[in-house]
Amino acid sequence: MLGEHGRGVAKAVLTPVAQVAKKLGLTPNMLTVGGTMVTVVAAFALIPTDHLGWAALALSIILAADSLDGTLARLTGKTSQFGAFLDSTLDRIADGAVFGSLTAWAALHLQGGAQVVGIFAGIAASVFAATVPYARARAQNIGVDAAKGIAERTDRLVIVGIGAILYAFTGHAWMVVAGLVIVALLSLITVIQRILVTWTNANE
């Protein structure tokens, strides 16, 4: 949803930044690896220690720059199959760090029903969010385009980010738990959508 509509805006904003990165001699793969490392460090350092507001801010900046490597690749003509593979693979590591850290936060800082729901929702979000791109990749292997779905990567991160910001301002932990539940449900729906698209087209 958000990923499709935000690409035009991201391109306009990130192109000047990519031009600066080009002048500095940076490569798309450098940005991919660097962005993932910053994401993992920010997630592990800030989320389990209950600094969700700062984590949301840091991850929002990282998310805004998530397309910078692709923009630089197009600008320099250095697009490659390996670059696409690296970006997709490291995205899974970054997402796992975020959702895994949120699950750890729920286990460490919540109590009672909120803790139970938070842990299970965090696990479910981690599993289903990782399955979404896997379903697309496997569909492509048999010649089916299963890229569509109700929730892309950007949507998932924005939802938990909003929950973290609301928690930082209100102190209500259920805001984060609700975000995890929504991400888990939307990711499951997206997986089902991609399975149905693949099933339909494969049969045809």
Coordinates of all heavy atoms in Angstrom, one line a residue, residues 3-87:
G3 N 4.1 1.5 0.2 CA 5.3 1.4 -0.6 C 5.0 1.8 -2.1 O 5.9 2.4 -2.7
E4 N 3.9 1.4 -2.6 CA 3.6 1.8 -4.0 C 3.4 3.3 -4.2 O 3.9 3.9 -5.1 CB 2.3 1.1 -4.5 CG 2.5 -0.5 -4.5 CD 1.3 -1.2 -5.0 OE1 0.2 -0.4 -5.2 OE2 1.3 -2.4 -5.2
H5 N 2.7 3.9 -3.2 CA 2.4 5.3 -3.4 C 3.6 6.2 -3.0 O 3.6 7.4 -3.4 CB 1.2 5.7 -2.5 CG -0.1 5.0 -2.9 ND1 -0.7 5.1 -4.1 CD2 -0.8 4.1 -2.2 CE1 -1.7 4.3 -4.2 NE2 -1.8 3.7 -3.0
G6 N 4.5 5.7 -2.2 CA 5.6 6.6 -1.7 C 6.8 6.5 -2.6 O 7.8 7.3 -2.4
R7 N 6.8 5.7 -3.7 CA 8.1 5.6 -4.4 C 8.4 6.9 -5.2 O 9.6 7.2 -5.3 CB 7.9 4.4 -5.4 CG 8.0 3.1 -4.7 CD 8.1 1.9 -5.7 NE 8.1 0.7 -4.9 CZ 7.1 -0.2 -4.9 NH1 6.0 0.1 -5.7 NH2 7.1 -1.3 -4.2
G8 N 7.4 7.6 -5.7 CA 7.6 8.8 -6.4 C 8.2 9.9 -5.5 O 9.2 10.6 -5.9
V9 N 7.7 10.0 -4.3 CA 8.2 11.0 -3.4 C 9.6 10.6 -3.0 O 10.5 11.5 -2.9 CB 7.3 11.1 -2.1 CG1 7.8 12.0 -1.1 CG2 5.9 11.5 -2.5
A10 N 9.8 9.3 -2.7 CA 11.1 8.9 -2.3 C 12.2 9.2 -3.4 O 13.3 9.6 -3.0 CB 11.1 7.4 -2.0
K11 N 11.8 9.0 -4.6 CA 12.7 9.2 -5.7 C 13.1 10.7 -5.8 O 14.3 11.0 -5.9 CB 12.1 8.8 -7.0 CG 13.0 9.0 -8.2 CD 12.4 8.5 -9.5 CE 13.3 8.7 -10.7 NZ 12.6 8.3 -12.0
A12 N 12.1 11.6 -5.6 CA 12.4 13.0 -5.7 C 13.3 13.5 -4.5 O 14.2 14.3 -4.7 CB 11.1 13.8 -5.7
V13 N 13.1 12.9 -3.4 CA 13.9 13.3 -2.2 C 15.3 12.7 -2.2 O 16.2 13.3 -1.8 CB 13.1 12.9 -0.9 CG1 14.0 13.2 0.3 CG2 11.8 13.7 -0.8
L14 N 15.4 11.4 -2.6 CA 16.6 10.7 -2.4 C 17.6 10.9 -3.6 O 18.8 10.7 -3.4 CB 16.3 9.2 -2.3 CG 15.6 8.8 -1.0 CD1 15.3 7.3 -1.1 CD2 16.4 9.1 0.2
T15 N 17.1 11.4 -4.7 CA 18.0 11.5 -5.9 C 19.2 12.5 -5.5 O 20.3 12.2 -5.8 CB 17.3 12.0 -7.1 OG1 16.3 11.0 -7.5 CG2 18.2 12.3 -8.3
P16 N 18.9 13.7 -4.9 CA 20.0 14.6 -4.6 C 21.0 14.0 -3.6 O 22.2 14.2 -3.7 CB 19.3 15.8 -4.0 CG 17.9 15.8 -4.5 CD 17.6 14.3 -4.6
V17 N 20.4 13.2 -2.6 CA 21.3 12.5 -1.6 C 22.1 11.5 -2.3 O 23.3 11.3 -2.0 CB 20.4 11.9 -0.5 CG1 21.3 11.2 0.5 CG2 19.5 12.9 0.1
A18 N 21.5 10.8 -3.3 CA 22.3 9.8 -4.0 C 23.4 10.4 -4.9 O 24.5 9.8 -5.0 CB 21.4 9.0 -4.9
Q19 N 23.1 11.6 -5.4 CA 24.2 12.3 -6.1 C 25.4 12.6 -5.2 O 26.5 12.6 -5.7 CB 23.6 13.6 -6.8 CG 22.6 13.3 -7.9 CD 21.9 14.5 -8.4 OE1 21.8 15.5 -7.7 NE2 21.4 14.4 -9.6
V20 N 25.1 13.0 -4.0 CA 26.2 13.3 -3.1 C 27.0 12.0 -2.7 O 28.2 12.0 -2.7 CB 25.6 13.9 -1.7 CG1 26.7 14.1 -0.7 CG2 25.0 15.3 -2.0
A21 N 26.2 10.9 -2.5 CA 26.9 9.6 -2.3 C 27.7 9.2 -3.5 O 28.8 8.7 -3.3 CB 25.8 8.6 -2.0
K22 N 27.3 9.5 -4.7 CA 28.1 9.2 -5.9 C 29.4 9.9 -5.9 O 30.4 9.4 -6.2 CB 27.3 9.5 -7.1 CG 28.0 9.2 -8.4 CD 27.1 9.6 -9.6 CE 27.9 9.4 -10.9 NZ 27.1 9.8 -12.1
K23 N 29.3 11.2 -5.5 CA 30.5 12.1 -5.5 C 31.5 11.6 -4.4 O 32.7 11.7 -4.6 CB 30.2 13.5 -5.3 CG 29.4 14.2 -6.4 CD 29.0 15.6 -6.1 CE 28.3 16.2 -7.3 NZ 27.9 17.6 -7.0
L24 N 31.0 11.0 -3.4 CA 31.8 10.5 -2.3 C 32.4 9.2 -2.6 O 33.3 8.6 -1.8 CB 31.0 10.4 -1.0 CG 30.6 11.8 -0.4 CD1 29.7 11.5 0.8 CD2 31.8 12.6 0.0
G25 N 32.0 8.6 -3.7 CA 32.6 7.3 -4.1 C 31.9 6.1 -3.5 O 32.5 5.0 -3.5
L26 N 30.7 6.3 -2.9 CA 30.0 5.2 -2.2 C 29.3 4.3 -3.3 O 29.0 4.8 -4.3 CB 29.0 5.7 -1.2 CG 29.5 6.6 -0.1 CD1 28.4 7.1 0.8 CD2 30.5 5.7 0.8
T27 N 29.2 3.0 -3.0 CA 28.5 2.1 -3.9 C 27.2 1.7 -3.3 O 27.0 1.8 -2.1 CB 29.4 0.9 -4.2 OG1 29.4 0.1 -2.9 CG2 30.8 1.2 -4.6
P28 N 26.3 1.3 -4.2 CA 25.0 0.8 -3.7 C 25.1 -0.3 -2.6 O 24.4 -0.3 -1.6 CB 24.2 0.3 -4.9 CG 24.9 1.1 -6.0 CD 26.3 1.3 -5.6
N29 N 26.0 -1.2 -2.8 CA 26.2 -2.3 -1.9 C 26.7 -1.8 -0.5 O 26.3 -2.3 0.5 CB 27.1 -3.4 -2.4 CG 26.4 -4.2 -3.5 OD1 25.2 -4.1 -3.7 ND2 27.3 -4.9 -4.3
M30 N 27.5 -0.8 -0.5 CA 28.0 -0.2 0.7 C 26.8 0.4 1.5 O 26.7 0.2 2.7 CB 29.0 1.0 0.4 CG 30.3 0.5 0.0 SD 31.4 2.0 -0.3 CE 32.9 1.2 -0.9
L31 N 25.9 1.1 0.8 CA 24.7 1.7 1.5 C 23.8 0.6 2.0 O 23.3 0.7 3.1 CB 24.0 2.6 0.5 CG 24.7 3.8 0.0 CD1 23.8 4.6 -1.0 CD2 25.1 4.7 1.2
T32 N 23.7 -0.5 1.2 CA 22.8 -1.6 1.7 C 23.3 -2.2 3.0 O 22.6 -2.4 3.9 CB 22.8 -2.7 0.6 OG1 22.2 -2.1 -0.6 CG2 21.9 -3.9 1.0
V33 N 24.6 -2.5 3.0 CA 25.2 -3.2 4.2 C 25.2 -2.2 5.3 O 24.9 -2.6 6.5 CB 26.7 -3.6 3.9 CG1 27.4 -4.1 5.1 CG2 26.7 -4.7 2.8
G34 N 25.6 -0.9 5.1 CA 25.6 0.1 6.2 C 24.3 0.3 6.8 O 24.1 0.4 8.0
G35 N 23.2 0.4 5.9 CA 21.9 0.6 6.4 C 21.4 -0.5 7.3 O 20.8 -0.3 8.3
T36 N 21.7 -1.7 6.9 CA 21.3 -2.9 7.7 C 22.0 -2.9 9.0 O 21.4 -3.2 10.0 CB 21.6 -4.2 6.9 OG1 21.0 -4.2 5.6 CG2 21.2 -5.4 7.7
M37 N 23.3 -2.6 9.0 CA 24.1 -2.6 10.3 C 23.5 -1.6 11.2 O 23.3 -1.9 12.4 CB 25.5 -2.3 10.0 CG 26.3 -3.4 9.2 SD 28.0 -3.0 8.8 CE 28.7 -2.8 10.4
V38 N 23.2 -0.4 10.7 CA 22.6 0.7 11.6 C 21.3 0.2 12.1 O 21.0 0.5 13.3 CB 22.5 2.0 10.8 CG1 21.8 3.0 11.7 CG2 23.9 2.5 10.5
T39 N 20.5 -0.4 11.3 CA 19.1 -0.8 11.7 C 19.2 -1.9 12.8 O 18.5 -1.8 13.8 CB 18.4 -1.4 10.5 OG1 18.2 -0.5 9.5 CG2 17.0 -1.9 10.9
V40 N 20.1 -2.9 12.6 CA 20.3 -3.9 13.6 C 20.8 -3.4 15.0 O 20.2 -3.7 16.0 CB 21.2 -5.0 13.1 CG1 21.6 -6.0 14.2 CG2 20.6 -5.7 11.9
V41 N 21.8 -2.5 14.9 CA 22.3 -1.9 16.1 C 21.2 -1.1 16.8 O 21.1 -1.2 18.1 CB 23.5 -1.0 15.8 CG1 24.0 -0.2 17.0 CG2 24.7 -1.9 15.4
A42 N 20.5 -0.2 16.1 CA 19.5 0.6 16.7 C 18.4 -0.2 17.3 O 17.9 0.0 18.4 CB 18.9 1.5 15.6
A43 N 18.0 -1.3 16.6 CA 16.9 -2.2 17.1 C 17.3 -2.9 18.4 O 16.6 -2.9 19.4 CB 16.5 -3.2 16.1
F44 N 18.5 -3.5 18.4 CA 19.0 -4.2 19.5 C 19.3 -3.4 20.7 O 19.1 -3.7 21.9 CB 20.2 -5.1 19.2 CG 20.0 -6.3 18.3 CD1 21.0 -7.0 17.7 CD2 18.7 -6.7 18.1 CE1 20.7 -8.1 16.9 CE2 18.4 -7.8 17.3 CZ 19.4 -8.5 16.7
A45 N 19.8 -2.1 20.5 CA 20.2 -1.3 21.6 C 19.1 -0.5 22.2 O 19.1 -0.2 23.4 CB 21.3 -0.3 21.0
L46 N 18.1 -0.1 21.4 CA 17.0 0.8 21.9 C 15.7 0.1 22.2 O 15.1 0.5 23.2 CB 16.7 1.8 20.8 CG 17.9 2.8 20.5 CD1 17.5 3.7 19.3 CD2 18.3 3.6 21.7
I47 N 15.3 -0.9 21.5 CA 14.0 -1.5 21.7 C 13.9 -2.4 23.0 O 13.1 -2.1 23.8 CB 13.5 -2.3 20.5 CG1 13.3 -1.4 19.3 CG2 12.2 -3.0 20.8 CD1 13.0 -2.1 18.0
P48 N 14.8 -3.3 23.2 CA 14.7 -4.1 24.4 C 14.9 -3.3 25.7 O 14.5 -3.7 26.8 CB 15.8 -5.2 24.2 CG 16.0 -5.3 22.8 CD 15.9 -3.9 22.3
T49 N 15.6 -2.2 25.6 CA 15.9 -1.3 26.7 C 14.8 -0.3 27.0 O 14.9 0.6 27.8 CB 17.2 -0.6 26.6 OG1 17.2 0.1 25.3 CG2 18.4 -1.6 26.5
D50 N 13.7 -0.5 26.3 CA 12.4 0.3 26.5 C 12.6 1.8 26.0 O 11.9 2.7 26.5 CB 12.0 0.3 27.9 CG 10.5 0.7 28.1 OD1 9.7 0.4 27.2 OD2 10.2 1.3 29.1
H51 N 13.5 2.0 25.0 CA 13.6 3.4 24.4 C 12.9 3.3 23.0 O 13.5 3.6 22.0 CB 15.1 3.7 24.3 CG 15.8 3.9 25.6 ND1 16.5 2.9 26.2 CD2 15.9 5.0 26.4 CE1 17.0 3.3 27.3 NE2 16.7 4.6 27.5
L52 N 11.6 3.0 23.1 CA 10.9 2.8 21.8 C 10.7 4.1 21.0 O 10.7 4.1 19.8 CB 9.5 2.1 22.1 CG 9.6 0.6 22.0 CD1 10.4 0.0 23.1 CD2 8.2 0.1 22.1
G53 N 10.6 5.2 21.7 CA 10.4 6.5 21.0 C 11.7 6.8 20.2 O 11.6 7.2 19.0
W54 N 12.8 6.7 20.8 CA 14.1 6.9 20.1 C 14.3 5.9 19.0 O 14.8 6.2 17.9 CB 15.3 6.9 21.0 CG 15.3 8.1 21.9 CD1 15.1 8.1 23.3 CD2 15.6 9.4 21.6 NE1 15.2 9.4 23.8 CE2 15.5 10.2 22.7 CE3 15.9 10.1 20.3 CZ2 15.8 11.6 22.7 CZ3 16.1 11.4 20.3 CH2 16.1 12.2 21.5
A55 N 13.9 4.7 19.3 CA 14.0 3.6 18.2 C 13.1 3.9 17.0 O 13.6 3.8 15.9 CB 13.6 2.3 18.8
A56 N 11.9 4.4 17.3 CA 11.0 4.7 16.2 C 11.6 5.9 15.3 O 11.5 5.9 14.1 CB 9.6 5.1 16.7
L57 N 12.2 6.9 16.0 CA 12.8 8.0 15.3 C 14.0 7.5 14.4 O 14.1 7.9 13.3 CB 13.3 9.0 16.3 CG 14.0 10.3 15.7 CD1 13.1 11.0 14.8 CD2 14.5 11.2 16.8
A58 N 14.8 6.7 15.0 CA 16.0 6.2 14.3 C 15.6 5.4 13.1 O 16.1 5.5 12.0 CB 16.9 5.4 15.2
L59 N 14.6 4.5 13.4 CA 14.2 3.6 12.3 C 13.4 4.3 11.2 O 13.4 3.9 10.1 CB 13.4 2.4 12.9 CG 14.2 1.5 13.8 CD1 13.3 0.4 14.4 CD2 15.3 0.8 13.0
S60 N 12.7 5.4 11.6 CA 12.0 6.2 10.6 C 13.0 6.8 9.6 O 12.8 6.8 8.4 CB 11.2 7.3 11.3 OG 10.2 6.7 12.1
I61 N 14.1 7.3 10.1 CA 15.1 7.9 9.2 C 15.7 6.8 8.3 O 15.9 7.0 7.1 CB 16.2 8.6 10.1 CG1 15.6 9.7 10.9 CG2 17.4 9.0 9.2 CD1 16.6 10.4 11.9
I62 N 16.0 5.7 8.9 CA 16.6 4.5 8.2 C 15.6 4.1 7.1 O 16.0 3.8 5.9 CB 16.9 3.4 9.1 CG1 18.0 3.8 10.1 CG2 17.4 2.2 8.3 CD1 18.3 2.9 11.2
L63 N 14.3 4.0 7.5 CA 13.3 3.6 6.5 C 13.2 4.6 5.4 O 13.0 4.2 4.2 CB 11.9 3.4 7.2 CG 10.7 3.0 6.4 CD1 11.0 1.6 5.7 CD2 9.5 3.0 7.2
A64 N 13.2 5.9 5.7 CA 13.1 6.9 4.7 C 14.3 6.8 3.6 O 14.1 7.1 2.5 CB 13.1 8.3 5.3
A65 N 15.4 6.3 4.1 CA 16.6 6.2 3.3 C 16.8 4.7 2.7 O 17.8 4.4 2.1 CB 17.9 6.5 4.0
D66 N 15.7 3.9 2.9 CA 15.8 2.5 2.5 C 16.0 2.3 1.0 O 16.7 1.4 0.6 CB 14.6 1.8 3.0 CG 14.7 0.3 2.7 OD1 15.7 -0.4 3.2 OD2 13.8 -0.3 2.0
S67 N 15.5 3.3 0.2 CA 15.6 3.2 -1.2 C 16.8 3.9 -1.8 O 17.0 3.9 -3.0 CB 14.3 3.8 -1.9 OG 13.2 3.1 -1.4
L68 N 17.7 4.4 -0.9 CA 18.8 5.2 -1.3 C 19.8 4.3 -2.1 O 20.3 4.8 -3.1 CB 19.5 5.8 -0.1 CG 20.7 6.7 -0.5 CD1 20.3 7.9 -1.3 CD2 21.4 7.2 0.8
D69 N 20.0 3.0 -1.7 CA 20.9 2.2 -2.5 C 20.4 1.9 -3.9 O 21.2 2.0 -4.8 CB 21.1 0.9 -1.7 CG 19.9 0.2 -1.3 OD1 18.8 0.7 -1.6 OD2 19.9 -0.9 -0.7
G70 N 19.1 1.7 -4.0 CA 18.5 1.5 -5.3 C 18.6 2.8 -6.2 O 18.9 2.7 -7.4
T71 N 18.4 3.9 -5.6 CA 18.5 5.2 -6.3 C 19.9 5.4 -6.8 O 20.1 5.8 -7.9 CB 18.0 6.4 -5.4 OG1 16.7 6.1 -4.9 CG2 18.1 7.7 -6.2
L72 N 20.9 5.1 -5.9 CA 22.3 5.3 -6.3 C 22.6 4.3 -7.4 O 23.4 4.6 -8.3 CB 23.2 5.1 -5.1 CG 24.7 5.2 -5.3 CD1 25.0 6.6 -5.9 CD2 25.5 4.9 -4.1
A73 N 22.1 3.1 -7.3 CA 22.4 2.1 -8.4 C 21.9 2.5 -9.7 O 22.6 2.4 -10.8 CB 21.8 0.7 -8.0
R74 N 20.7 3.1 -9.8 CA 20.2 3.6 -11.1 C 20.9 4.8 -11.5 O 21.2 5.0 -12.7 CB 18.7 3.9 -10.9 CG 17.8 2.7 -10.8 CD 16.3 3.0 -10.8 NE 15.9 3.8 -9.6 CZ 15.5 3.2 -8.4 NH1 15.5 1.9 -8.4 NH2 15.2 3.9 -7.4
L75 N 21.4 5.6 -10.6 CA 22.1 6.9 -11.0 C 23.5 6.6 -11.5 O 23.9 7.3 -12.4 CB 22.2 7.8 -9.7 CG 22.7 9.2 -9.9 CD1 21.6 10.0 -10.7 CD2 22.8 9.9 -8.6
T76 N 24.1 5.5 -11.0 CA 25.5 5.2 -11.4 C 25.5 4.1 -12.5 O 26.5 3.8 -13.0 CB 26.3 4.7 -10.2 OG1 25.6 3.6 -9.6 CG2 26.4 5.9 -9.2
G77 N 24.3 3.5 -12.7 CA 24.3 2.4 -13.7 C 24.8 1.1 -13.2 O 25.3 0.3 -13.9
K78 N 24.9 1.0 -11.8 CA 25.5 -0.2 -11.2 C 24.4 -1.1 -10.7 O 24.6 -1.8 -9.7 CB 26.4 0.2 -10.1 CG 27.7 1.0 -10.6 CD 28.6 1.3 -9.4 CE 29.9 2.0 -9.9 NZ 30.8 2.4 -8.8
T79 N 23.3 -1.2 -11.4 CA 22.3 -2.2 -10.9 C 22.8 -3.6 -11.3 O 23.4 -3.8 -12.4 CB 20.9 -1.9 -11.7 OG1 21.2 -1.9 -13.1 CG2 20.4 -0.6 -11.3
S80 N 22.5 -4.5 -10.5 CA 22.9 -5.9 -10.7 C 22.0 -6.9 -10.0 O 21.3 -6.5 -9.0 CB 24.4 -6.1 -10.2 OG 24.4 -6.0 -8.8
Q81 N 22.1 -8.1 -10.5 CA 21.3 -9.2 -9.8 C 21.8 -9.4 -8.4 O 21.0 -9.7 -7.5 CB 21.3 -10.5 -10.7 CG 20.6 -10.4 -12.0 CD 20.5 -11.7 -12.7 OE1 21.5 -12.5 -12.6 NE2 19.5 -11.9 -13.5
F82 N 23.1 -9.4 -8.2 CA 23.6 -9.6 -6.9 C 23.2 -8.5 -6.0 O 22.9 -8.7 -4.8 CB 25.2 -9.6 -6.9 CG 25.8 -9.7 -5.5 CD1 25.7 -10.9 -4.8 CD2 26.3 -8.6 -4.9 CE1 26.2 -11.0 -3.5 CE2 26.9 -8.7 -3.7 CZ 26.8 -9.9 -3.0
G83 N 23.2 -7.2 -6.4 CA 22.7 -6.1 -5.6 C 21.3 -6.3 -5.1 O 21.0 -6.0 -4.0
A84 N 20.4 -6.7 -6.1 CA 19.0 -7.0 -5.7 C 18.9 -8.1 -4.7 O 18.2 -8.0 -3.7 CB 18.2 -7.3 -6.9
F85 N 19.7 -9.1 -4.9 CA 19.8 -10.3 -3.9 C 20.2 -9.8 -2.6 O 19.6 -10.2 -1.5 CB 20.7 -11.4 -4.5 CG 21.1 -12.3 -3.4 CD1 20.3 -13.4 -3.0 CD2 22.4 -12.2 -2.9 CE1 20.8 -14.3 -2.0 CE2 22.8 -13.1 -1.9 CZ 22.0 -14.1 -1.5
L86 N 21.3 -9.0 -2.5 CA 21.9 -8.6 -1.3 C 20.9 -7.7 -0.5 O 20.7 -7.9 0.7 CB 23.2 -7.8 -1.5 CG 23.9 -7.3 -0.3 CD1 24.4 -8.4 0.5 CD2 25.0 -6.3 -0.7
D87 N 20.2 -6.8 -1.2 CA 19.3 -5.9 -0.6 C 18.1 -6.7 0.0 O 17.7 -6.4 1.1 CB 18.8 -4.9 -1.7 CG 17.8 -3.9 -1.1 OD1 18.2 -3.1 -0.2 OD2 16.6 -3.9 -1.5

